[in-house]
């Protein structure tokens, strides 16, 4: 089986949606100035998004590089996740961005590779980076035979569950109907099935895409292609309408923690770590960091339960994150040496293990049994997964319309139809 065989358009992603990561720091990042590219001390700077006080895999990998290359100095410029996209673009435009920046494939977010490359902000990478592009994903990493991002891992975007809390609640619900019943039971005991960062658009958008997994993409994995060909629209899609109506269903069933509309990412980490919330719509690698922080609780990755009897369980798995080099960097040799090192098989494996993700290669032979990914292993092996939807959307405005629109649904200020119409309008921008 190959990863991303259904890629044919543009972008989580990830959003790329960053994992639960390191200590939030502020301030503008800047290149570290000139450095020697051969022998002696070498310097470069690295920017990545962060969400809380947990350790960033990007920083850990870079620190390991410095340990094995004592002549190298890396300056870290972490940025808050909810402002990372805007900060990155602003710094690239101003000429003071870091030498190495974390980006995302496609064109669906402000940190996405294609628009940044088209604007001349990113440096073309070498064969080491090309070899890590998942099969079928070349068009999301560059054009005309050039790639501008080096994939770091395969990230599943589904649910991360506190299995200890789930067991105490009677087990995780098997379908969407039983999910609603469990939400009501948990609410009556002062807990919630889901922790939601309602004030953080990346999280509300990820929740909506997770709801669309079984309602849209399980039935039609090529739905994005049809939207690009103007054969369908968001507003005209029964599946997308069902997905956004399900946001109201979850809210009405008491599935979110109290004050969810104003919650930040800390609401997710605190809720899951304490067990007051059972699960959250966050990238799968967060299971490892949460487990380290919670102490005694076990965490795992789960698909969002589909509607009863539909047989349409589905999830998203993408190469959501990449290293890119700032085209204006004065330290390109040092930056490229780091990327070449990071592309080595032992380093890609190490990065996935550090982050609790799946490796960027070798997914066909990955052992899912007994680990955090045991609940999604069958779906991966059966090919019931695809890339994060917004990887294939033509611009970041579509995802922004979804994410902020869902916030409006939660607060009662917008209807699902209004959100879908806004997404269609954004598609044409």
């Amino acid at each position: 089986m190959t990863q991303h065989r259904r890629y044919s358009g543009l972008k989580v992603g990830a959003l790329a949606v960053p994992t639960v990561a390191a200590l939030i720091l502020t301030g503008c990042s800047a290149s570290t100035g000139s450095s020697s590219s051969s022998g002696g001390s070498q310097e470069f700077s690295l920017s990545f998004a962060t969400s809380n006080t947990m350790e960033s895999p990007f920083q850990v990998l870079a620190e390991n590089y410095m340990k094995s290359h004592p002549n190298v100095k890396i300056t870290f410029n972490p940025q808050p996740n909810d402002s990372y996209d805007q900060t990155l673009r602003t710094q690239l435009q101003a000429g003071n961005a870091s030498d190495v920046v974390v980006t995302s494939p496609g064109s669906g977010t402000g940190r996405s590779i294609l628009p940044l490359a088209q604007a001349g902000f990113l440096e073309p990478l070498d064969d080491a980076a090309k070899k890590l592009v998942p099969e079928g994903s070349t068009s999301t990493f560059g054009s005309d035979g050039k790639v501008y991002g080096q994939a770091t891992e395969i990230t599943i975007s589904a649910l991360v569950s506190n299995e200890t809390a789930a067991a105490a609640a009677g087990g995780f619900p098997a379908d969407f109907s039983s999910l609603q019943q469990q939400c009501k039971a948990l609410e009556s005991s002062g807990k919630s099935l889901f922790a939601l960062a309602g004030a953080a658009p990346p999280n509300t958008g990820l929740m909506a895409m997770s709801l669309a997994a079984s309602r849209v993409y399980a039935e039609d994995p090529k739905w994005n292609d049809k939207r690009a060909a103007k054969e369908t629209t968001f507003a005209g899609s029964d599946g997308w309408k069902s997905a956004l109506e399900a946001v109201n269903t979850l809210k009405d069933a008491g599935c979110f923690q109290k004050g969810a509309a104003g919650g930040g990412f800390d609401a997710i980490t605190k809720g899951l770590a304490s067990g007051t919330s059972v699960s959250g719509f966050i990238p799968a690698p967060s299971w490892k960091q949460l487990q380290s922080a919670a102490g005694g609780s076990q965490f795992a990755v789960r698909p969002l339960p589909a509607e009863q009897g539909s047989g349409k369980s589905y999830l998203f798995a993408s190469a959501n994150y990449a290293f890119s080099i700032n085209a204006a960097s004065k330290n390109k040799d040092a930056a490229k040496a780091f990327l070449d090192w990071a592309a080595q098989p032992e380093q890609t494996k190490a990065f996935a293990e550090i982050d609790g993700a799946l490796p960027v290669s070798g997914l066909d032979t990955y052992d899912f049994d007994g680990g955090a990914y045991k609940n999604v292993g069958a779906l991966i092996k059966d090919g019931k997964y695809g890339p994060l939807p917004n990887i294939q959307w033509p611009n970041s405005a579509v995802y922004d319309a979804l994410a902020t629109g869902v916030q409006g649904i939660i607060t009662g200020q917008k209807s699902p139809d209004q959100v879908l119409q806004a997404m269609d309008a954004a598609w044409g921008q």
Side-chain angles (χ1 to χ4, degrees):
M1 182 185 68
T2 58
Q3 296 99 8
H4 309 299
R5 60 203 180 290
R6 297 189 179 100
Y7 264 132
S8 60
L10 307 179
K11 167 177 185 172
V12 194
L15 161 118
V17 183
T19 62
V20 179
L23 177 66
I24 293 180
L25 299 178
T26 58
C28 293
S29 64
S31 293
T32 56
S34 60
S35 68
S36 171
S37 61
S38 58
S41 176
Q42 299 184 46
E43 299 182 18
F44 66 92
S45 50
L46 169 64
S47 282
F48 48 88
T50 65
S51 296
N52 57 29
T53 57
M54 293 181 182
E55 198 167 42
S56 164
F58 300 107
Q59 183 165 335
V60 172
L61 186 72
E63 288 173 343
N64 288 343
Y65 182 69
M66 286 191 286
K67 289 178 183 178
S68 61
H69 298 75
N71 62 321
V72 174
K73 177 183 177 182
I74 303 174
T75 299
F76 298 116
N77 292 311
Q79 302 293 330
N81 178 48
D82 56 2
S83 61
Y84 180 80
D85 290 14
Q86 182 61 46
T87 300
L88 175 62
R89 180 167 282 275
T90 298
Q91 292 175 349
L92 287 168
Q93 291 172 336
N96 64 351
S98 293
D99 302 299
V100 178
V101 296
V102 173
T103 55
S104 298
S107 60
T109 71
R111 72 189 73 178
S112 294
I113 289 169
L114 296 181
L116 294 178
Q118 290 164 2
F121 293 138
L122 303 182
E123 183 79 2
L125 302 182
D126 57 21
D127 287 344
K130 290 181 179 180
K131 291 178 181 178
L132 290 183
V133 176
E135 186 173 343
S137 301
T138 303
S139 65
T140 67
F141 280 80
S143 60
D144 299 326
K146 297 179 180 179
V147 300
Y148 296 86
Q150 181 169 299
T152 57
E153 64 185 17
I154 298 296
T155 302
I156 289 178
S157 297
L159 291 173
V160 173
S161 169
N162 182 326
E163 295 292 285
T164 305
F172 205 84
D175 55 60
F176 198 73
S177 178
S178 57
L179 179 153
Q180 295 173 61
Q181 296 303 313
Q182 191 172 66
C183 284
K184 294 175 182 177
L186 284 166
E187 184 186 32
S188 66
S189 64
K191 298 182 178 181
S192 68
L193 183 61
F194 299 127
L196 182 70
N203 194 238
T204 54
L206 183 57
M207 175 182 67
M209 290 192 294
S210 297
L211 288 164
S214 63
R215 291 168 171 80
V216 179
Y217 297 95
E219 183 173 332
D220 189 358
K222 296 185 180 297
W223 190 91
N224 281 344
D225 295 340
K226 294 178 180 178
R227 180 62 186 85
K230 299 182 179 180
E231 296 174 6
T232 188
T233 62
F234 288 104
S237 166
D238 290 340
W240 269 105
K241 186 173 182 178
S242 174
L244 294 197
E245 287 175 343
V247 175
N248 273 327
T249 299
L250 295 180
K251 181 182 69 172
D252 293 343
C255 293
F256 308 132
Q257 83 279 11
K258 290 184 178 180
F265 284 106
D266 61 331
I268 300 177
T269 55
K270 290 177 181 178
L272 296 189
S274 66
T276 56
S277 293
V278 174
S279 61
F281 298 92
I282 51 178
S286 303
W287 75 266
K288 183 174 183 180
Q289 297 148 334
L290 282 165
Q291 188 160 295
S292 296
S297 293
Q298 296 296 310
F299 287 80
V301 181
R302 289 182 174 275
L304 180 66
E307 293 175 286
Q308 187 174 16
S310 70
K312 294 179 180 177
S313 292
Y314 195 80
L315 52 79
F316 300 124
S318 310
N320 287 350
Y321 309 108
F323 287 120
S324 294
I325 295 178
N326 179 1
S329 169
K330 297 179 181 179
N331 305 305
K332 291 179 183 176
D333 289 344
K336 289 179 179 178
F338 169 66
L339 263 63
D340 286 344
W341 175 85
Q344 297 171 4
E346 58 268 34
Q347 307 308 333
T348 59
K349 180 180 178 181
F351 185 90
E353 291 177 349
I354 291 168
D355 200 26
L358 295 175
V360 72
S361 59
L363 198 57
D364 294 354
T365 58
Y366 187 84
D367 183 10
F368 291 95
D369 295 339
Y373 292 93
K374 61 183 178 181
N375 298 308
V376 300
L379 292 177
I380 294 291
K381 291 179 179 179
D382 291 343
K384 294 182 179 180
Y385 73 97
L388 204 64
N390 65 328
I391 286 178
Q392 298 179 326
W393 295 349
N395 58 64
S396 60
V398 181
Y399 181 76
D400 291 342
L402 173 64
T404 58
V406 170
Q407 288 179 306
I409 293 174
I410 293 171
T411 59
Q413 296 173 307
K414 290 186 179 180
S415 69
D417 285 340
Q418 288 175 318
V419 177
L420 296 173
Q421 290 166 8
M423 294 171 69
D424 283 323
W427 188 282
Q429 291 183 6

